[in-house]
Amino acid sequence: MAQIIVVTSGKGGVGKTTTSASIAVGLAERGFKTVVIDFDIGLRNLDLIMGCERRVIYDFVNVIRAEASLNQALIRDKHVTNLYILPASQTRDKDALTVEGVGAVLDELRKTFDYIVCDSPAGIERGATLAMYFADHAVVVTNPEVSSVRDSDRMLGLLSSKTKRAEEGREPITEHLLLTRYCPKRVAKGDMLSIGDVNEILAIPLLGVIPESTAVLRASNSGDPVILDKESDAGQAYSDAILRFLGQDIPFRFTEEKAHWLKRLFSMKEREAV
């Protein structure tokens, strides 16, 4: 039976779609048959990040309304085998999504996939609440700033009370924190919250720390999920997060400021003098 992962946040622009794409690619690279669904009806972006915008013929809403079959709407990813994309509609509003319709699509996908990744829109409107409603896992994406963390705290409240698991009194959704656009230099200057600050406020297990990186923008513009950039800090950090999600104990990288070479040289000389 497939596991459903919702990638969510309270604030827009924190990197949810980048994260959804990277999680989906990372799971598929490790042999899991994976599908990623864009729940941002009217403002779809997942197809751009995945580089398949020209191949969109049918979408999520078409499937819900029985205007197309699931097989017609699913797009096979061009980067990784075992990965498929179900795009959102650009011409409908979010009222096109219904609990019954979304549930029926997810039930069908559960039959053949190992993981279903739901790319949620920001905030608490219908698309976001339906993206999390059926979830087994939630990856809460936040930037290290007060407004983003506060809004993520609000989402944690919804995850514990407004989901199918909560309604049925089952085990709660497994929550994971993903901290994006982290810059140790700015943390040291006091311009950004530290990992400890965010952990203290949200108090959920830390899945990954994604450094601030130009590689993310390059990847978005090229339609290649940043996790495929194995040389970039961001790509490596997403790969580490996937391994942690799958149960491996991986140390966190890119969380400390890189020392300038002159500082490193003087530090070495001081140790030699001692």
Side-chain angles (χ1 to χ4, degrees), residues 211-250:
E212 198 167 45
S213 173
T214 56
V216 174
L217 180 60
R218 288 199 305 270
S220 298
N221 288 337
S222 65
D224 300 314
V226 71
I227 195 172
L228 293 171
D229 185 354
K230 307 302 182 184
E231 301 302 316
S232 71
D233 289 358
Q236 293 173 45
Y238 272 116
S239 293
D240 289 351
I242 293 297
L243 294 178
R244 290 189 199 97
F245 180 82
L246 295 173
Q248 295 190 35
D249 185 12
I250 303 295

Side-chain angles (χ1 to χ4, degrees), residues 59-86:
D59 56 54
F60 193 11
V61 175
N62 290 138
V63 177
I64 288 175
R65 294 191 169 185
E67 296 165 351
S69 70
L70 192 53
N71 283 337
Q72 286 178 294
L74 285 173
I75 300 171
R76 185 189 292 271
D77 183 64
K78 65 183 181 182
H79 307 97
V80 187
T81 57
N82 291 326
L83 179 57
Y84 294 79
I85 301 99
L86 183 56

Side-chain angles (χ1 to χ4, degrees), residues 7 15-25 34-56 60 74-75 77-79 83-90 116-121 219-220 222-225:
V7 179
K16 282 188 307 301
T17 300
T18 293
T19 297
S20 296
S22 290
I23 288 175
V25 168
T34 305
V35 59
V36 57
I37 306 174
D38 191 347
F39 274 77
D40 200 356
I41 307 301
L43 293 171
R44 77 177 188 222
N45 285 309
L46 180 64
D47 55 309
L48 293 172
I49 299 293
M50 302 296 291
C52 65
E53 67 276 11
R54 293 184 182 86
R55 290 190 279 159
V56 177
F60 193 11
L74 285 173
I75 300 171
D77 183 64
K78 65 183 181 182
H79 307 97
L83 179 57
Y84 294 79
I85 301 99
L86 183 56
S89 170
Q90 280 187 311
I116 301 168
V117 180
C118 301
D119 180 27
S120 171
S220 298
S222 65
D224 300 314

Side-chain angles (χ1 to χ4, degrees), residues 9-10 12 15 27 127 131 169-170 176 200 228 267:
S9 76
L27 291 170
R170 292 188 285 140
H176 312 267
E200 185 176 348
L228 293 171
S267 177

Side-chain angles (χ1 to χ4, degrees), residues 142-144 179-188 192-196 198 209-213 253-257:
T142 189
N143 292 159
L179 193 56
T180 55
R181 295 179 183 166
Y182 192 76
C183 179
K185 185 175 182 179
R186 293 174 63 190
V187 171
M192 184 177 279
L193 296 177
S194 69
I195 296 171
V198 178
V209 179
I210 312 301
E212 198 167 45
S213 173
R253 298 187 280 175
F254 318 117
T255 60
E256 302 292 337
E257 185 177 357

